[in-house]
Amino acid sequence: MKKEVLRVSGMDCPSCAKDIEKTVAKLNGVEKAEVNFIAEKLTVTYDDSQLPREKSRKI
């Protein structure tokens, strides 16, 4: 498992953060996705054999 913290900009409200969490969590290989709305950061834990780094950058 790998864990990465990605910057997410353009969220208008906490509801947007929840939508991002739900969408990312549905990707193959993603075990956990959490968005910190105030910090504008997405922390994602995933199996890199199922979600190569190139794809994770497109999240």
Side-chain angles (χ1 to χ4, degrees), residues 7 28 41:
R7 183 172 165 78
N28 285 339
K41 291 183 179 178

Side-chain angles (χ1 to χ4, degrees), residues 10 15 18 27:
S15 181
K18 285 294 176 196
L27 296 173

Side-chain angles (χ1 to χ4, degrees), residues 1 14-16 30 32-33 38 42 44-45 50 54 57-58:
M1 288 290 168
S15 181
C16 295
V30 173
K32 185 176 182 181
I38 301 297
L42 165 66
V44 61
T45 304
Q50 294 185 34
E54 295 79 36
R57 289 293 174 200
K58 293 179 182 177

Side-chain angles (χ1 to χ4, degrees), residues 1-13:
M1 288 290 168
K2 285 199 165 200
K3 184 175 184 178
E4 290 197 39
V5 178
L6 307 169
R7 183 172 165 78
V8 179
S9 59
M11 294 184 289
D12 294 325
C13 63

Side-chain angles (χ1 to χ4, degrees), residues 33-52:
E34 291 180 305
V35 173
N36 183 320
F37 174 70
I38 301 297
E40 296 185 326
K41 291 183 179 178
L42 165 66
T43 302
V44 61
T45 304
Y46 63 97
D47 180 346
D48 61 340
S49 68
Q50 294 185 34
L51 184 66

